[in-house]
């Protein structure tokens, strides 16, 4: 079987659904549509803020294809337990709004979109955390105004100056006074413990985000909380600063040990799957694939289970870079797809020579 086999959209739905269940313990249909690139995250975020009457108009696929996807998703998740949590926009100034995905009535599919299916292996504790996350009121969001364009409050007509905060709901802008959030103080992101504690001590809370137009996404800048809560959090953080520093050192030591163990295990798996691969190359493959934070094959969730497919992919990646002219082709601006095709026979030959005869 060629390892470059392209999946068609139906196979993708099956693969994405099962991979997501495996990796994160639960899966929702909207997530699958985003993963298929049929839905962009900016539109999804705006829909979640109640800016669109439904989401269907933004799906980049035909209704027929979507119908197929719904059917496959339903079949793949049939028999699994689920948490039903309607998509809701939690309004500060109006009544809460239930968000609709479809443009036309179809109760069955609409309900399917609200279901978060659980993996058979998910722990009770993880299920409860997920249930809490899905059913709790999401954090209130306040925006940092970074644009040069002047913003006017829709209620009192005050101007929101640059670098000030505003609240937005259903395409309308409100100054913090009208949103009754003006008594809160800003705590910049950076100290996660301080922010978490300040949030805990505060009666009111809002997350401050700014739209990054280059990356086309909202990014967190800090939080708005009671002034008193920040002071309390600062005191509590200074009290256990030493204790937390010791814990940090311990956990980083543990991480180094875990990484070492994981690389060792990975090495063993490569050697057992490719017994004729020279020892030096086996270690090189394992070390390269398992670097923390590299996002390489070895660091992905599936690979942590050390399954044959992940090991094979790591070996392929290694051969591609070390035993073919792939990198040189890339440097010569050959398209990636062509490069991969050109070096495929060399990779297959090498793989065979390292496997048992
Ligand atoms: Zn106002």
């Amino acid at each position: 079987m060629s390892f470059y086999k392209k999946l068609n959209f139906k196979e993708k739905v099956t693969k994405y659904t099962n991979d997501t269940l495996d990796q994160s313990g639960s899966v929702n249909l909207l997530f699958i549509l985003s993963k298929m690139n049929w839905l962009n995250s900016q539109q999804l975020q705006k829909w979640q803020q109640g800016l669109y009457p439904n989401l269907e108009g933004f799906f980049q696929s035909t209704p027929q294809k979507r119908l197929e996807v719904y059917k496959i998703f339903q079949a793949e998740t049939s028999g699994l337990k689920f948490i039903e949590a309607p998509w809701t926009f939690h309004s500060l100034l109006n009544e809460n709004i239930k968000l609709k995905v479809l443009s036309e009535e179809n109760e069955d599919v609409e309900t399917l979109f609200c279901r978060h299916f659980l993996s058979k292996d998910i722990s009770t504790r993880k299920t409860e955390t997920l249930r809490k996350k899905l059913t709790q009121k999401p954090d209130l969001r306040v925006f940092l105004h970074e644009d040069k364009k002047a913003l006017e409050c829709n209620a009192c007509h005050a101007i929101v100056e640059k670098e000030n905060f505003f609240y937005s709901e259903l395409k309308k802008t409100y100054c913090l006074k009208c949103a009754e959030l003006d008594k809160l103080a800003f705590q910049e992101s950076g100290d996660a413990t301080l922010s978490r504690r300040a949030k805990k001590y505060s009666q009111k809370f809002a997350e401050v985000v700014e739209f990054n137009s280059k990356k086309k996404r909202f990014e967190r800048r800090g939080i708005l909380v009671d002034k008193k809560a920040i002071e309390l959090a600062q005191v509590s953080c200074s009290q256990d600063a030493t204790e937390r520093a010791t814990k940090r050192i311990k956990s980083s030591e543990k991480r180094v040990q875990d990484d070492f163990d994981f690389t060792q295990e990975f090495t063993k798996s490569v050697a057992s799957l490719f017994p004729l691969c020279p020892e030096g190359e086996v270690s090189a493959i394992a070390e390269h694939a398992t670097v923390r934070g590299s996002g390489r094959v070895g660091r992905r969730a599936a690979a942590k289970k050390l399954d044959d497919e992940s090991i094979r992919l790591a070996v392929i990646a290694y051969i591609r870079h070390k035993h073919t002219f792939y990198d040189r082709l890339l440097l010569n601006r050959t398209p990636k797809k062509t490069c991969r095709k050109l070096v495929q026979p060399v990779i297959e030959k090498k793989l065979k020579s390292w496997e048992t005869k």
Side-chain angles (χ1 to χ4, degrees), residues 152-160 173-179:
E152 193 185 303
C153 171
N154 276 83
C156 72
H157 304 290
I159 299 292
V160 178
T173 301
Y174 301 94
C175 69
L176 287 199
K177 201 168 181 194
C178 292

Side-chain angles (χ1 to χ4, degrees), residues 116-313:
H116 297 256
F117 292 91
L118 305 170
S119 142
K120 280 181 184 141
D121 310 323
I122 194 171
S123 67
T124 326
R125 201 172 134 208
K126 210 168 165 193
T127 308
E128 279 323 300
T129 315
L130 185 68
R131 188 187 305 281
K132 209 172 144 197
K133 192 176 146 201
L134 289 171
T135 47
Q136 79 182 358
K137 218 170 159 172
D139 288 337
L140 200 61
R141 265 186 162 188
V142 161
F143 302 86
L144 181 64
H145 180 41
E146 267 302 343
D147 213 315
K148 285 190 194 97
K149 235 172 24 194
L151 265 184
E152 193 185 303
C153 171
N154 276 83
C156 72
H157 304 290
I159 299 292
V160 178
E161 304 283 351
K162 197 180 165 195
E163 287 179 12
N164 273 307
F165 308 117
F166 66 93
Y167 174 73
S168 175
E169 160 166 341
L170 302 176
K171 289 187 179 171
K172 285 193 171 152
T173 301
Y174 301 94
C175 69
L176 287 199
K177 201 168 181 194
C178 292
E180 295 181 357
L181 297 167
D182 57 327
K183 300 280 187 293
L184 301 180
F186 179 58
Q187 174 62 48
E188 209 177 329
S189 294
D191 186 336
T193 313
L194 181 72
S195 301
R196 197 177 54 248
R197 290 182 186 177
K199 180 183 174 184
K200 198 174 82 189
Y201 297 139
S202 187
Q203 299 273 329
K204 255 187 182 179
F205 169 84
E207 177 190 42
V208 176
V209 295
E210 183 188 350
F211 188 68
N212 182 330
S213 49
K214 265 192 201 144
K215 293 183 185 163
K216 294 206 180 338
R217 65 171 189 220
F218 290 98
E219 287 176 353
R220 189 177 173 137
R221 292 284 172 257
I223 52 174
L224 286 179
V225 279
D226 297 330
K227 268 193 199 108
K228 193 84 197 141
I230 297 180
E231 288 165 17
L232 281 172
Q234 279 165 341
V235 171
S236 116
C237 280
S238 68
Q239 275 167 352
D240 63 357
T242 329
E243 202 179 306
R244 281 185 292 125
T246 318
K247 247 191 203 160
R248 263 204 303 278
I249 293 169
K250 268 197 188 147
S251 74
S252 88
E253 281 169 356
K254 188 180 176 298
R255 225 170 18 239
V256 171
Q257 184 61 43
D258 287 352
D259 281 358
F260 180 78
D261 294 346
F262 180 53
T263 309
Q264 294 293 95
E265 289 299 313
F266 207 93
T267 309
K268 274 188 213 157
S269 305
V270 174
S272 97
L273 209 58
F274 296 96
L276 300 179
C277 177
E279 211 176 299
E281 304 221 61
V282 171
S283 347
I285 292 165
E287 269 161 34
H288 183 82
T290 56
V291 175
R292 185 181 282 269
S294 64
R296 285 181 198 136
V297 184
R299 295 299 321 182
R300 293 182 200 146
K304 295 208 170 134
K305 292 183 194 159
L306 296 168
D307 62 309
D308 290 0
E309 179 64 16
S310 309
I311 301 292
R312 204 179 159 79
L313 285 174

